[in-house]
Amino acid sequence: MLYSKLFPKALRQAPKDADSANAKYLIQGGFIHQEMAGVYSWLPLGLQVLRKVENIIREEINALGAQELLMPALQPKDNWLATDRWDGLDILFKLNSKIGGEIALGATAEEIITPLAKAYTGSYQDFPFALYQIQNKYRDELRAKAGVLRGREFGMKDLYSFHLDLGCLEKYYEKIAKTYLNIFKRCGLKAVRTRATGGAFSKFSDEFQVITSAGEDNIYYCSKCKVYYNNELVRAGKCPECKTKLGKPERAIEVGNIFKLKTKFSDAFNFKYIDKNGKEKPVLMGCYGIGTTRLVGTIVEANHDDHGIIWPNEIAPYKMHLIALFGKDKKINQKIKSAALAVVASEAKQSCEVLYDDREDASAGEKFAVADLLGIPERVVISEKTLAKNSIEIKNRKSGKVTMKKL
Ligand code: ATP
Ligand code: MG
């Protein structure tokens, strides 16, 4: 990709009202654009990162045998009445249709997936199975804030599993928990499994929290149980399980959340299967979410310095940020250009994605500042100086280490 053609260019100034590192750097770098509170456009650079995150999730979830589908954001009111969430979920957006009636704007998808799964199954032989989607969700959050960490429109991977018995659900739940840790690791994050309250049907749910000062959750570690607990569970500073006195809480961002729904939604939609003996039994369900756009924001919160973002390798928008530094001598500039294009071509052969800053009217300082801001793992410079040594200069964004490599 030529930087001269990239839409848009990085902004010279950070946005004045940014309340977090992810808002500041993602907006300044041209990854996202704010449309209104909690609503963003994902610009080409940002979309590259988001797609990479989504594809890591796809790879890991597909490997567990779940199948991807795509459900609508416009959802029938009756389905939400059936689960008592039309009035029960305070963040639900409700739309009026010109042809009459009201419609829910999807805040989550249990109200769609449960009747959908019911429509195509019946016998015990149809189970277990799991379905997921990666889709935007809409929530009328009172406090949309911290860039893409809490939006009113945001990306989510939501997975739903369907089982005949609790043992099967619990096994799958544990598999997902393990896979989640792997997904976050591949995204360059250390997430910790954290116990939270489970809602009406389970004692606990599990959250996946990334410890960083930018987080809005507080989590406690019990060194005796070797378990993290969400603040909401902890009473009087004591471990809810073993009652050991807990230390100070740590701030963290919730990047994922998994629940054993059991029969909460299957009961609401009368979703049953026929067992081997011809008897009707309720289907057991689990649901498993990851906030994809929040994940990108979290990656920035956990990986930046005073100059900009430091993308972990696997989700960086490009692997190499190539900078050509031109001088006054036209002949030498021509040589620099050819050398730069040769690097782009040879990297392309090895499937290495390069962002090439080919601008002739930008200073070295300007180009270096953009490279630091965009945070691509490897910065490569070609200039009259490096060509004199028949070399390129390679700088690692994370370590700052500089090496020379022969052309
Ligand atoms: P939170 O506790 O942060 O309000 P939640 O528990 O309501 O989130 P879920 O309904 O379990 O979240 O959604 C699954 C995941 O979607 C969350 O773990 C989080 O990563 C992400 N998510 C939830 N709400 C938002 C939001 N408003 N903006 C961005 N991501 C969100
Ligand atoms: Mg939560």
Side-chain angles (χ1 to χ4, degrees):
M1 178 76 210
L2 296 179
Y3 190 81
S4 61
K5 299 273 192 284
L6 181 68
F7 175 88
K9 305 285 179 290
L11 304 172
R12 275 173 202 276
Q13 302 290 333
K16 282 197 187 72
D17 50 357
D19 61 352
S20 55
N22 84 86
K24 177 177 165 189
Y25 291 137
L26 288 174
I27 292 171
Q28 194 186 354
F31 294 88
I32 59 172
H33 178 78
Q34 187 173 26
E35 305 299 347
M36 56 176 156
V39 180
Y40 292 87
S41 289
W42 284 77
L43 305 173
L45 265 189
L47 191 60
Q48 297 252 44
V49 177
L50 184 60
R51 290 285 183 253
K52 288 189 178 184
V53 164
E54 291 172 351
N55 284 333
I56 288 175
I57 295 173
R58 269 196 187 94
E59 267 179 46
E60 296 285 334
I61 298 291
N62 287 347
L64 294 179
Q67 297 177 63
E68 184 172 1
L69 46 53
L70 185 59
M71 291 178 276
L74 298 183
Q75 304 182 356
K77 176 181 178 180
D78 280 350
N79 296 29
W80 285 82
L81 287 173
T83 59
D84 280 334
R85 294 209 289 186
W86 177 260
D87 294 311
L89 199 64
D90 57 342
I91 47 75
L92 188 66
F93 277 110
K94 298 168 183 174
L95 310 175
N96 281 308
S97 167
K98 283 206 186 90
I99 60 164
E102 289 174 294
I103 292 172
L105 192 54
T108 173
E110 286 85 0
E111 276 76 2
I112 298 291
I113 197 98
T114 314
L116 180 67
K118 179 184 169 180
Y120 292 96
T121 54
S123 156
Y124 68 93
Q125 287 162 310
D126 298 327
F127 296 83
F129 65 97
L131 299 166
Y132 76 99
Q133 65 175 348
I134 298 175
Q135 181 221 34
N136 275 5
K137 301 290 182 288
Y138 302 85
R139 294 185 183 179
D140 205 357
E141 302 271 3
L142 282 181
R143 291 170 304 112
K145 59 172 187 170
V148 294
L149 295 187
R150 185 167 294 285
R152 294 195 294 158
E153 172 169 355
F154 60 94
M156 193 204 286
K157 183 281 299 172
D158 43 324
L159 164 71
Y160 306 87
S161 68
F162 304 87
H163 310 265
L164 300 181
D165 57 69
L166 189 59
C168 183
L169 166 60
E170 283 177 342
K171 243 193 196 156
Y172 196 75
Y173 185 91
E174 286 307 315
K175 261 195 203 169
I176 294 291
K178 215 168 138 197
T179 297
Y180 267 30
L181 291 176
N182 206 32
I183 289 170
F184 299 129
K185 194 170 158 203
R186 284 181 66 183
C187 291
L189 293 173
K190 186 178 177 306
V192 295
R193 184 173 171 171
T194 303
R195 275 203 188 148
T197 46
F201 282 79
S202 252
K203 193 169 172 201
F204 295 120
S205 67
D206 285 280
E207 295 171 346
F208 292 81
Q209 297 274 2
V210 173
I211 295 170
T212 144
S213 57
E216 60 172 37
D217 285 11
N218 280 308
I219 64 171
Y220 290 86
Y221 185 65
C222 173
S223 51
K224 201 165 161 207
C225 301
K226 303 214 173 342
V227 171
Y228 281 93
Y229 291 95
N230 190 302
N231 175 42
E232 60 184 7
L233 274 178
V234 172
R235 296 274 168 273
K238 286 191 180 143
C239 172
E241 288 292 289
C242 74
K243 310 295 174 206
T244 298
K245 200 168 164 12
L246 299 168
K248 275 197 186 140
E250 294 185 89
R251 284 211 165 278
I253 303 173
E254 177 197 314
V255 285
N257 206 183
I258 62 179
F259 291 91
K260 289 172 203 159
L261 297 170
K262 297 187 183 166
T263 62
K264 183 177 159 78
F265 290 91
S266 35
D267 283 347
F269 291 102
N270 196 28
F271 181 17
K272 297 205 164 91
Y273 69 93
I274 310 285
D275 77 2
K276 273 186 189 152
N277 306 315
K279 257 178 88 182
E280 264 194 353
K281 291 202 173 138
V283 172
L284 293 159
M285 289 173 58
C287 79
Y288 318 85
I290 292 181
T292 52
T293 47
R294 180 183 287 184
L295 194 50
V296 173
T298 306
I299 293 165
V300 176
E301 294 297 340
N303 299 279
H304 70 268
D305 61 15
D306 289 345
H307 304 288
I309 303 168
I310 305 168
W311 291 113
N313 242 323
E314 212 181 326
I315 50 104
Y318 292 92
K319 294 279 183 279
M320 180 191 287
H321 190 134
L322 177 63
I323 293 177
L325 294 184
F326 300 110
K328 291 212 172 78
D329 188 316
K330 277 194 181 147
K331 259 195 188 155
I332 294 173
N333 284 352
Q334 202 49 49
K335 274 191 189 160
I336 293 171
K337 246 183 230 172
S338 318
L341 290 175
V343 168
V344 171
S346 96
E347 292 300 324
K349 266 193 205 146
Q350 301 163 54
S351 314
C352 171
E353 306 141 308
V354 178
L355 178 64
Y356 168 31
D357 194 341
D358 57 330
R359 291 174 299 168
E360 296 188 23
D361 56 351
S363 70
E366 216 177 316
K367 289 184 173 184
F368 291 156
V370 169
D372 280 347
L373 174 63
L374 299 189
I376 291 165
E378 204 169 61
R379 186 191 82 184
V380 169
V381 174
I382 300 183
S383 64
E384 183 176 359
K385 234 166 79 186
T386 71
L387 277 190
K389 294 182 195 146
N390 201 30
S391 298
I392 53 174
E393 180 201 273
I394 303 171
K395 185 175 176 191
N396 184 286
R397 175 68 181 89
K398 190 169 181 188
S399 66
K401 199 173 157 218
V402 179
T403 47
M404 300 299 286
K405 192 177 151 203
K406 285 276 174 227
L407 269 176

